[in-house]
Structures are given as structure tokens and as C-alpha cells.
Amino acid sequence: MKLKLRLESCKSPQVMAEGRGADIVSEFLSQNPHLVNWVESLRGLCETNKQWHARREFVLRNMEAFPTIQPGTPSPSLDRLLSLSMVWANHVFLGCRYPQPVMDKVNEMAEGITVIEAPERKTRDEIMGKTKRPAVSALDADYQGKKAKPNDTDVKAHAKSVGRPAASALKSGPPPGAPAEHQPFFNRLYKAVAWKLVSAGGFGPNLEHFEILRSCVESCKASLSCVFVPLKDIPDLPVVRTQKEGQVCELRCHNVYIGTGYGRDDCAARAMASKEALKVFQGHKVTVKVCRRRFRGRDVDDLVLLDEQSRSQVFPPALSYPFQEDQ
């Protein structure tokens, strides 16, 4: 099936949910009535009409680039297109930031779409008029970057070293009341993950674990933080792990640790970390607690997402620690 939406070219990749573009989408759907119900089934529960009309146009415009998509039939190609459409819509309407290659991809796919009165957002540094901080180590730069840009996803901290810091470099841990403060968000995220897994046929090894987790987090108006460190640079690994090649990924959301994964490269490590994180959502509830973890050769208090099962918890060493004094 070919979709031809003839819109006047627009230099800006921002999209439109009203006016000329919406008229053309409506005209296309009127000519293809068998697509109407299927397209509407792709709408998110929390999307406004403006957001949905814009993302719907993005999906319809780019279906031709995914020839294996069959309306009404789930497929990896459809999941990828929908994920890209969510990335673009989150960037336009919510101000989310993603790795530059991803942004270049979705902006190219959105060329010719125009959003009327799209929100304008500035970073904290732009608002406060701050200049860039002096250069710091790769891992510390990641910590500071996450504070300045809370919507960042896929923070890559390929740290050269994870040596022992000075004792004064760490606070005592998360602020008082942090678990209770974060609990309502993770209750919502638990429901979103539960529904997503039900629609995917249940938890299993063949799922796109990272895409499922990311889409659920974004549906709750948040983003994942991913930190990557070479496996060989991590102290305190279990003695049974003799492998020294590959990457380790740590996932956090709202500064709460949710999973760690090992893999031959970033993608494999991130997928494994997402799989481990989704396992936490298999019970009847999730709970945010303060737990002791090992960070750079030192025991620290960290916010951790746990399931309802009571058992002895042994956590992987932390790759990041957001509760630090400014360096």
C-alpha cells in the first residue's frame, strides 16, 4: 500500500495537527476506510487530539518506508515505526531529548509536517544564562548532565576509570522522604507495564524489552537514563564472572535504580538491563526503597525499585550515583 500525502514542503520538521495537513489525512482515510479503525487503535491513552493528529500523520507518511507493515497485524516493523513516532512527538510536544542520530532520523521522517503553535522549551542553562562548566571526568560529566537535562535518554558514559572517590565527594544518600515521593510515579508505571505486557502476550525472552520499558516510561511523562561502562573497568564484580570484554548498562528513572545488564555491546547490554528491570514488574506491586549498594569501592545508600518478594537482595555495583555533591 502506498500513501501519498501531498503537503507543501516545510523547512522546519515541526508538524501540524490542524489545518491543511489534517484535511489531507482525513481525505486519505476517507479513501481507505479499512484503515480508520486500525489507525485509531494506535492512539495512546494520554494523547491529546493535537498530539495524536500530529503523530497519526507521522505514522501514515512513513508507512511506505516499512513495507512489511500489515495493518491489523503486530510486527517488529510496526513497533519500530510507532517508537519513532513517539520519539518525535515527545520531542515536539514534551521537549524530550534523544541521542543526535535518533533526532536526525525522526526529523528527516517528519519533513513536510507542520505543527501549529508547537510548545517552545529552553534548557535550565538557557533560562538561567549559565555558561558551560569546566571539563570534568567522563562519568562525572554524565552525572551533571543528567541534572541539567532530566529528559535525556541513552546517556553514554564510557568511563575510562571508576576509581575510589574522596569521602567528601558523596552525600549520605537520597534525601529524606525520597521513596515516598517517587512511589506514586512507579505505581503508574507498574500499571502501564502490566497493560503493555498483556497486549504483548506476557513477559518472555523474545520481546523488545527496552522498547517496551521505554514506551511505558514515556507514557508516564518521564524518560530512562542509561549509563554504559566497559565491563573491564568495573570493580567488585562477582568472582564467578571471568568475562572481561563487553559493556555494562545501568538503567535509572527519576534517579531510582531499576536494572543492570551485561552484553557484548551497548545495545545488548541495554536490552539485558531492560529485561532485568521488567522482571521487577511481574509481581502485584513495586516499591521504592533505600538500599545499600557498592559504588566505586564504597557502600552507599541508593534508591532502588523492588518487587514484593522478600528475599536477600544482592545488587550489582552501581555505575552511577546521582546523590553527589557538585564536583
Side-chain angles (χ1 to χ4, degrees), residues 21-219:
D23 291 341
I24 292 180
V25 170
S26 298
E27 180 181 352
F28 171 78
L29 292 176
S30 68
Q31 297 172 0
N32 298 271
H34 61 287
L35 295 179
V36 175
N37 291 336
W38 172 72
V39 171
E40 287 302 316
S41 71
L42 306 178
R43 179 172 182 170
L45 295 177
C46 299
E47 285 184 290
T48 65
N49 288 337
K50 186 172 185 177
Q51 293 170 349
W52 165 238
H53 291 161
R55 193 167 70 86
R56 179 182 65 177
E57 186 178 348
F58 183 100
V59 171
L60 293 176
R61 277 179 173 272
N62 290 283
M63 281 183 61
E64 187 177 355
F66 296 83
T68 58
I69 291 179
Q70 297 295 328
T73 303
S75 68
S77 296
L78 176 59
D79 291 341
R80 176 165 175 75
L81 175 57
L82 294 179
S83 296
L84 291 169
S85 73
M86 287 299 300
V87 166
W88 175 78
N90 287 342
H91 172 65
V92 171
F93 294 105
L94 303 179
C96 297
R97 297 169 181 263
Y98 298 87
Q100 194 57 46
V102 178
M103 294 306 308
D104 292 342
K105 174 70 174 178
V106 297
N107 285 338
E108 179 183 356
M109 296 173 70
E111 185 175 356
I113 309 177
T114 308
V115 174
I116 295 177
E117 298 179 355
E120 294 184 6
R121 291 178 171 82
K122 294 183 178 180
T123 65
R124 185 187 67 175
D125 288 348
E126 290 172 339
I127 296 173
M128 301 299 294
K130 292 182 179 179
T131 57
K132 292 183 178 180
R133 295 183 178 182
V136 294
S137 68
L139 196 57
D140 290 336
D142 174 58
Y143 302 149
Q144 296 178 10
K146 283 186 289 185
K147 293 178 183 178
K149 296 181 290 184
N151 284 324
D152 279 357
T153 301
D154 291 345
V155 179
K156 293 190 176 183
H158 290 279
K160 298 298 183 182
S161 173
V162 285
R164 182 187 301 271
S168 61
L170 296 178
K171 289 182 180 179
S172 59
E181 176 185 347
H182 291 302
Q183 190 62 50
F185 167 81
F186 284 98
N187 290 341
R188 296 195 303 272
L189 180 59
Y190 171 83
K191 294 179 181 178
V193 171
W195 280 109
K196 192 74 171 180
L197 290 177
V198 168
S199 64
F203 181 84
N206 298 322
L207 298 177
E208 292 287 344
H209 299 98
F210 175 68
E211 293 302 326
I212 289 176
L213 182 60
R214 179 166 66 176
S215 66
C216 291
V217 169
E218 290 175 350
S219 72

Side-chain angles (χ1 to χ4, degrees), residues 207-245:
L207 298 177
E208 292 287 344
H209 299 98
F210 175 68
E211 293 302 326
I212 289 176
L213 182 60
R214 179 166 66 176
S215 66
C216 291
V217 169
E218 290 175 350
S219 72
C220 295
K221 304 297 186 291
S223 58
L224 284 171
S225 171
C226 308
V227 177
F228 299 89
V229 175
L231 181 62
K232 60 183 176 62
D233 290 345
I234 301 178
D236 305 319
L237 284 178
V239 294
V240 296
R241 290 201 64 86
T242 57
Q243 179 185 355
K244 295 299 181 182
E245 298 299 326

